[in-house]
Amino acid sequence: VGLRGGETMIRAPVMRREVLLRAGSACGTEGEDVPAGYGASWGHAEDARACLPDEASSMWTNLRTRHVELHREIREVSCGRNARLEEVFGERGPFWARHYIFWSGGAPITIVYEVFNPALRHALGECVE
């Protein structure tokens, strides 16, 4: 599981941000705050600081608070394995992931890559064909 070169769309210097996405007990664990997902984003360092003034808050919260007009372009949905995320999630892969770009004013402002914990089935239900 991994992003394939999309971060090259962002002009240098590039700032990379990594977070574990929390969703309370959505992953079915009692009393544990198991991450619902992993996220990484890439943005031009100066633009990212302007768009994300509150580093403790999520990207979406920062952008919504600043009323930034956005277009999200989903580039890829994938499924893959990653030994480190198996440790972090406490679940075996494969993991669903998505890669998208937030555009504003015709320019990419950030590229996002998210990987989802399969334990979300506790909140969402099993995936049925």
Side-chain angles (χ1 to χ4, degrees):
V1 176
L3 186 62
R4 292 185 266 283
E7 66 275 14
T8 59
M9 293 180 71
I10 302 295
R11 62 188 169 90
V14 175
M15 179 175 88
R16 180 178 177 178
R17 184 176 181 200
E18 292 181 283
V19 297
L20 290 175
L21 308 167
R22 305 285 179 178
S25 62
C27 291
T29 55
E30 298 284 330
E32 282 188 58
D33 191 15
V34 175
Y38 159 81
S41 62
W42 295 262
H44 178 265
E46 189 176 312
D47 294 346
R49 283 188 202 92
C51 288
L52 306 169
D54 182 2
E55 290 184 18
S57 293
S58 71
M59 178 188 315
W60 185 248
T61 298
N62 273 284
L63 294 172
R64 187 183 66 229
T65 301
R66 297 185 50 83
H67 304 289
V68 176
E69 185 177 335
L70 296 173
H71 167 72
R72 181 183 353 215
E73 176 187 358
I74 296 180
R75 285 289 184 100
E76 182 178 24
V77 175
S78 59
C79 189
R81 297 189 179 274
N82 182 289
R84 179 67 185 120
L85 288 177
E86 286 185 353
E87 291 176 31
V88 170
F89 292 156
E91 292 276 336
R92 294 187 51 107
F95 304 109
W96 283 106
R98 69 180 177 174
H99 149 218
Y100 56 91
I101 302 169
F102 276 137
W103 296 83
S104 184
I109 60 167
T110 189
I111 296 175
V112 180
Y113 178 70
E114 296 171 330
V115 181
F116 302 98
N117 187 335
L120 287 169
R121 67 182 170 278
H122 296 289
L124 303 174
E126 293 291 336
C127 181
V128 182
E129 292 185 49

